[in-house]
Amino acid sequence: MSAVVLDRQKVSAVVGLLVLFEITSGFIQGAVAPLLPDLGAEMGISDANLNWVISVQLLAAAVSVPAFGRLGDLYGHRRMLRVALACVAVGSVLVVIAPNLPVLLAGRALLGPLAALLPLEIALVRDRLPVDLARRAIARLVGALALGGLLGGVITAGLHQLIGDARLTLAIPAVLAVICVPVSFLAVPETSRLATGKLDVPGVAALSVSMVALLTGISLLSSSTAAGALLTLLGVAGFAGWVLLELRTAEPLVDLRALAGRHVAPFFLCSFVFGIVYFGSQAPDATFLAADRDTTGYGFGFTALQISLVALPAAVAAVVGSNLTAVIAGRFGYRPTLIAAFLTIGATFLAQALLHDELWQLLLFKLPVGLAAGVALGAMPTVIAETADPSRTGITTALYNNVKTLGGAVAGAVVAAILAALVQAGGSTPTEGAYITVWLMCSLLCVGAAAAALFARRAESPAL
């Protein structure tokens, strides 16, 4: 048996370690949201400032993901994976021991590289595994991330009921994060093909500043329209300047010309749409379920626990779907699979817009939308990674993560604007039509994403 085959077998076994990192990543990300109210009460943090506990990690991810991705291409994805895990471990511990809000936010900022883990891992498996095994590994990694998020929300909520202390409960994901650091030194191989050149520092700076300005501006639109609009415009202008800078740079952070073709650009559009639909539907679904039908004319008056249980089937289906991506796409092709997934999600949102008066209807819709979302989550990074030059897999998949995150940020502002504009007479409560508008918007966007994937030119790999 050749050394190459032995090496591939070894790397296949190491995928299990990478799965551990993704479960931990999802666990940490899913653990915080349910504990935010109690965390604020324990530390005396206002509701307005609690928003920054989530936002600061999002902003840190926007800065760190492209930098970690390109540094991984240049100096080794394993090396940057270890650096990211170390940052996450330190940040998780800071969150637990933070005596005040600034230290808590510092810890949350150090969790930003969580978003860089998956792109680095995808680059590793694509470099060291043949195409078919790499695709299966990517599907397992995405499934592990979804599973970790599911476990994080459920387990931490249950533990908090027993422990009664939010920060002490967050010590559980902190321990997992610390364990991952020495594990990354056990058997994870380094990238065999490194890129040549140097880091485009001006490109990193321009992209980071633009992302921070844009995401901050979008988050402020609902509370401070003038400041939000100004920062949003500055972010858009910054992106335009970054594009011009990258086109004129000999060794750019992102080879925009290579990404502009029909073989890859439509899939980035799919990623952006997915971010809008996936993140944009969560908050309105929760508030719709919590609404009191006697006073609003819709809703079920559910508690937080009941809302979580309603969302559980979709979360479980997403884990199953992401793990089945390689099998489904291996039979039908990745592009047809992605098209079918978006059409399924779009049809489900359309059905929800028409039928949402009974709980069984919503539960029935959760299964196909969760399954299709899981498949889409598994297919998109695979398609994008395989269209990238091998020397730029890290930065290309990192850009995918940022585009999806940007879609989520845009969704927050758009959905908030819809729910604020369509309100019942004499109050600020959204009308039933506001929710229907959100669901119809998600449906139309999914149809557009499916059309974009259909428009995409077939890549060299026949399975796409």
Side-chain angles (χ1 to χ4, degrees):
M1 190 175 291
S2 68
V4 174
V5 175
L6 286 172
D7 185 61
R8 286 177 176 176
Q9 290 178 344
K10 179 181 177 182
V11 176
S12 297
V14 170
V15 170
L17 298 179
L18 303 182
V19 165
L20 170 64
F21 301 155
E22 281 309 306
I23 290 178
T24 301
S25 174
F27 197 101
I28 293 172
Q29 295 179 63
V32 174
L35 302 181
L36 274 180
D38 293 291
L39 188 64
E42 290 175 13
M43 299 186 66
I45 302 173
S46 67
D47 289 344
N49 285 333
L50 273 180
N51 289 328
W52 284 105
V53 175
I54 299 296
S55 298
V56 73
Q57 183 186 344
L58 185 67
L59 297 176
V63 174
S64 60
V65 168
F68 273 74
R70 185 54 181 158
L71 287 171
D73 291 336
L74 292 172
Y75 303 111
H77 301 102
R78 180 184 66 178
R79 177 179 296 179
M80 296 312 300
L81 182 67
R82 290 171 174 172
V83 173
L85 288 171
C87 289
V88 171
V90 174
S92 299
V93 173
L94 277 181
V95 168
V96 175
I97 66 174
N100 50 46
L101 179 61
V103 177
L104 176 64
L105 294 181
R108 292 290 295 172
L110 285 171
L111 295 181
L114 274 173
L117 295 181
L118 185 60
L120 292 170
E121 292 159 356
I122 290 174
L124 270 173
V125 299
R126 190 189 174 213
D127 174 78
R128 302 304 295 261
L129 291 176
V131 172
D132 57 336
L133 292 181
R135 288 172 173 173
R136 294 176 190 175
I138 292 172
R140 287 175 61 189
L141 292 172
V142 174
L145 178 62
L147 176 61
L150 172 62
L151 294 175
V154 174
I155 292 177
T156 52
L159 287 175
H160 183 251
Q161 292 292 325
L162 296 174
I163 298 173
D165 186 295
R167 283 193 294 172
L168 189 57
T169 303
L170 290 174
I172 306 300
V175 170
L176 291 175
V178 171
I179 291 174
C180 284
V181 177
V183 169
S184 69
F185 285 85
L186 292 180
V188 179
E190 184 54 278
T191 309
S192 62
R193 296 170 292 180
L194 297 179
T196 58
K198 58 183 180 179
L199 179 65
D200 175 20
V201 176
V204 172
L207 179 60
S208 300
V209 171
S210 301
M211 282 290 293
V212 170
L214 186 59
L215 294 178
T216 304
I218 291 172
S219 67
L220 291 176
L221 281 176
S222 59
S223 59
S224 179
T225 305
L230 177 60
L231 282 174
T232 301
L233 289 175
L234 288 175
V236 171
F239 268 117
W242 173 74
V243 169
L244 294 176
L245 176 65
E246 294 298 279
L247 292 175
R248 296 178 181 179
T249 302
E251 297 180 2
L253 174 68
V254 179
D255 188 352
L256 294 176
R257 290 184 175 88
L259 300 182
R262 278 181 53 189
H263 67 291
V264 59
F267 296 116
F268 276 103
L269 177 60
C270 290
S271 304
F272 181 74
V273 168
F274 186 86
I276 294 177
V277 172
Y278 185 74
F279 296 110
S281 62
Q282 291 178 357
D285 277 1
T287 54
F288 181 86
L289 289 170
D292 184 357
R293 183 169 298 191
D294 293 335
T295 57
T296 63
Y298 60 84
F300 299 90
F302 282 173
T303 64
L305 178 59
Q306 290 171 319
I307 293 171
S308 299
L309 292 175
V310 171
L312 190 60
V316 173
V319 174
V320 174
S322 57
N323 280 285
L324 291 177
T325 299
V327 176
I328 298 172
R331 180 177 179 86
F332 300 105
Y334 272 81
R335 187 172 65 157
T337 297
L338 193 59
I339 292 171
F342 272 108
L343 288 178
T344 301
I345 298 172
T348 304
F349 274 109
L350 176 60
Q352 187 168 328
L354 298 174
L355 303 169
H356 49 262
D357 292 331
E358 302 293 335
L359 179 59
W360 67 265
Q361 295 169 335
L362 299 181
L363 290 174
L364 182 64
F365 301 148
K366 292 297 180 184
L367 291 175
V369 76
L371 188 65
V375 170
L377 275 172
M380 283 186 295
T382 301
V383 171
I384 289 173
E386 292 186 9
T387 56
D389 184 277
S391 66
R392 287 185 169 269
T393 302
I395 182 58
T396 304
T397 49
L399 188 62
Y400 150 74
N401 247 21
N402 264 18
V403 169
K404 187 176 66 176
T405 300
L406 179 60
V410 170
V414 172
V415 171
I418 293 174
L419 297 183
L422 303 176
V423 296
Q424 297 181 359
S428 58
T429 303
T431 62
E432 184 178 1
Y435 292 98
I436 293 175
T437 301
V438 171
W439 294 328
L440 289 177
M441 176 193 72
C442 291
S443 179
L444 289 174
L445 286 172
C446 286
V447 173
L454 181 64
F455 174 78
R457 180 177 295 153
R458 185 181 297 275
E460 292 182 4
S461 175
L464 294 180

